[in-house]
Amino acid sequence: MMDAHRSIDAVWKLESARIIAGLTRLVHDVGLAEELAQDALVAALEQWLESGVPDNPGAWLMAVAKRRAIDHLRRSRRLEDLDESEVAAAPEEPEQDDVLRLMFLSCHPVLPAPARVALTLRLLGGLTTAEIARAFLLTEPKIAQRVAAAKRTLAEERVPFELPGRAELAGRLSSVLEVIYLIFNEGYSATSGDDLMRPGLTLEALRLGRLLARLAPGEAEVHGLVALMEIQQSRAAARTGPSGEPIRLHEQNRGRWDRLLIRRGFTAMLRAREAGGKPGPYVLQAAIAVCHAQARTAEDTDWAQIATLYDALVRLLPTPVVQLNRAVAYGRAHGPATGLAMADALLSDPALQDYHLLPGVRADLLTELGRTAEARVEFQRAAALTQNTAERAFLLRRADALPAEDHAVRTLADAADEFLTRDTLDPQTARSYGQTLRRLRAALGDTRPLASLTADEVTRVCTTAWGHAAAKTWNRHRSALRSFAAWAEMDDLAAGLERRAESTTRTPSIAPARLDALWSSDLPLREHTLWRMLHESAAAARTVLSLNVEHLDLDDRSAQIDGTLVTWRSGTARLLPRLLDGRTHGPLFLADRRPGPARTPAPADLCPETGRRRLSYERAEHLFKQATRALDPAGNGYTLRQLKPAGQTLSQQ
């Protein structure tokens, strides 16, 4: 019986995508198609345990599922005169086209990235909700709700089950590749949890990538992604030590690299070149991986070639993370001082202010330059930012291996804690000052000697975090830093921060035509919901950001918080269920990442279901300014308070 169960499970993982895809073409509803396929699986469990697995189990499942689909269509009166023999005789499109359609459907941009990942693993990977939940360290109901919401969205948006046309193929294919690589990366370098890797996810991503390469053999970027994953996965056995601790690339035992996977990666690269065209981001990243795989020893690595490839990649994909990787390559090719200068230039990028690899890279380069005291602080800062237990322990060990500062030295964390716990501070002021100092500590490190802080560094931190904030917000943080410096008997840390004039004039609302352009663009779900709610409710941004899920009355389209009533209309009402994704408690609007252990927020600002903190006003303001720069004739971007409809009184934000 156990062998039969294993056989059925294996058949399902191999055949489920083809069956669901074929049914979706028949019933035009991916949710219904999966239900019918699951019904067929239940029938198989009942019959195969007694009769044994048939010679062609995939065909058996498809036949049973198709009969159930025909019965459903007849019951729904959609095809009253439908005859099963007519369906069987009707010309069918190639099965591979159906599977490719299903892949494009499950990765459709109308869905948020987490939903795309969960739905792809469910429909194309054949994974159960329990398996997906275990892989991402989430609850099973959470994944079930995420998958259900994704299916509902596809139905509501009437996303067709078809291959994209030539005009939109590149963008849609990019979304599919992004989902597969997201799955791979979460398995290859887990963002949270105790283990550095989750092999189940990397293997599933490889399977999906290889499947896509068979379905779209003429797409160079598809083969490039497969090559990249094959070569990266080849290092899996050498990436961790006996206790699961990370081993850096140049310290790995290359004899443990999987030569078969490397050869498969090289073959995929040849196919990418045969497909022709200008190299895209995945082909370039795969070329970098090939350079590493070709080097017999770490010393043989052609870092000059890798740096050149990163130059090309940055031109195509100028993301902060790619630029950070380029800094590492330049540090190896042209010396640590060059790499450090490039990494330091990224310190003012808001996208990297909480990214643990930036201080980690700086720490490595500082160590090579002999600046060990600074490197120690950066390793500790990186450890505070990462959510992965194994990686945090590794970074702390590296910090401990470097000479420590004199214990008598007063650190930034010590001084900040002492400053905030004074009896003379009222709770509201302490909370406000705490926001400022938490950002300073995250940017400069808890163990940073207080006396070494400079006004230039503080200016950089503030400009990165609040450079686009409203004048009132900027001045509040500036005042907090001046008070802290005066209390600590230091030079004015805010000397480089000029006070901004706070306007007393009415802030103009965004023109309706520009708002229409904003709503029609491809917006992230969280931001779209927040901005819609602010526009429809005319409530203060801080009030809306203070909302918890339990404050909401979805049927009444309203929420009560501290005596303030917030109401909204259909635009927000349509988005909220997707944003909640089954959550019942905690902040309504959540930050992108979980807080580091050194920056745990108050319980009221922490989601008990996801571990993420409440989205801050400063971050929300920054995101809105970035998103609306193209709409603003002045090119500065709009503020959240400008979302209020014309004629509304502007309350304090």
Side-chain angles (χ1 to χ4, degrees), residues 23 26-27 32 36 39-40 43 62-85 87:
L23 293 171
L26 184 61
V27 301
L32 174 60
L36 294 168
D39 288 345
M62 178 63 90
V64 171
K66 189 174 287 188
R67 283 198 298 271
R68 292 175 186 267
I70 294 168
D71 290 342
H72 172 84
L73 292 173
R74 284 175 177 151
R75 286 195 302 271
S76 64
R77 297 181 180 273
R78 290 169 60 187
L79 291 173
E80 293 181 356
D81 300 325
L82 187 68
D83 183 81
E84 188 171 334
S85 62
V87 174

Side-chain angles (χ1 to χ4, degrees), residues 369-417:
L369 290 168
R371 295 160 60 178
T372 54
E374 296 170 79
R376 180 183 172 90
V377 172
E378 287 294 272
F379 277 131
Q380 291 169 331
R381 188 163 77 89
L385 290 173
T386 184
Q387 304 301 310
N388 185 277
T389 304
E391 195 163 18
R392 183 183 307 122
F394 169 72
L395 290 165
L396 289 175
R397 282 196 299 272
R398 296 203 65 194
D400 291 342
L402 297 174
E405 290 280 352
D406 185 344
H407 290 297
V409 171
R410 195 181 195 191
T411 66
L412 173 57
D414 293 336
D417 288 340

Side-chain angles (χ1 to χ4, degrees), residues 397-650:
R397 282 196 299 272
R398 296 203 65 194
D400 291 342
L402 297 174
E405 290 280 352
D406 185 344
H407 290 297
V409 171
R410 195 181 195 191
T411 66
L412 173 57
D414 293 336
D417 288 340
E418 188 179 345
F419 175 71
L420 294 172
T421 54
R422 292 174 297 151
D423 295 336
T424 54
L425 282 185
D426 62 83
Q428 184 174 355
T429 303
R431 185 163 53 250
S432 176
Y433 284 177
Q435 291 176 350
T436 307
L437 293 178
R438 275 197 300 273
R439 172 50 55 200
L440 196 66
R441 290 168 62 174
L444 300 179
D446 277 351
T447 57
R448 176 69 180 270
L450 183 65
S452 70
L453 264 62
T454 67
D456 287 344
E457 288 177 308
V458 172
T459 298
R460 172 181 56 77
V461 172
C462 292
T463 303
T464 302
W466 306 297
H468 297 291
K472 184 175 181 180
T473 300
W474 172 270
N475 292 337
R476 176 170 61 84
H477 291 297
R478 176 180 178 273
S479 176
L481 289 165
R482 295 189 69 187
S483 297
F484 176 65
W487 170 84
E489 299 180 345
M490 302 174 66
D491 292 337
D492 186 7
L493 294 176
L497 306 174
E498 293 187 5
R499 191 180 189 283
R500 295 179 179 176
E502 297 182 22
S503 175
T504 56
T505 60
R506 185 181 186 84
T507 304
S509 299
I510 303 173
R514 294 196 175 95
L515 267 180
D516 290 342
L518 177 66
W519 302 143
S520 63
S521 59
D522 187 16
L523 298 174
L525 178 60
R526 179 190 62 186
E527 283 79 14
H528 193 179
T529 310
L530 172 62
W531 302 341
R532 280 277 189 180
M533 182 177 285
L534 288 173
H535 178 65
E536 294 180 356
S537 69
R542 292 191 187 278
T543 299
V544 171
L545 289 167
S546 297
L547 289 175
N548 289 345
V549 178
E550 52 267 35
H551 292 144
L552 306 181
D553 185 335
L554 296 180
D555 294 330
D556 191 47
R557 296 183 180 179
S558 66
Q560 284 272 1
I561 178 170
D562 297 332
T564 300
L565 179 66
V566 178
T567 62
W568 53 86
R569 300 195 300 275
S570 59
T572 305
R574 180 174 60 86
L575 296 168
L576 273 173
R578 289 167 54 197
L579 178 72
L580 295 177
D581 199 16
R583 289 191 294 121
T584 57
H585 294 86
L588 174 58
F589 297 102
L590 298 175
D592 297 305
R593 304 177 64 186
R594 297 177 182 176
R599 301 185 299 115
T600 303
D605 291 328
L606 193 66
C607 175
E609 298 176 34
T610 66
R612 289 187 284 160
R613 68 182 304 150
R614 187 185 304 277
L615 178 66
S616 69
Y617 172 77
E618 293 78 14
R619 178 64 176 165
E621 186 78 274
H622 169 74
L623 290 171
F624 189 61
K625 275 187 172 289
Q626 292 292 104
T628 56
R629 280 185 175 177
L631 299 176
D632 180 12
N636 298 320
Y638 295 110
T639 63
L640 290 173
R641 58 170 37 188
Q642 290 179 272
L643 275 168
K644 292 196 174 186
Q648 292 283 355
T649 302
L650 295 173

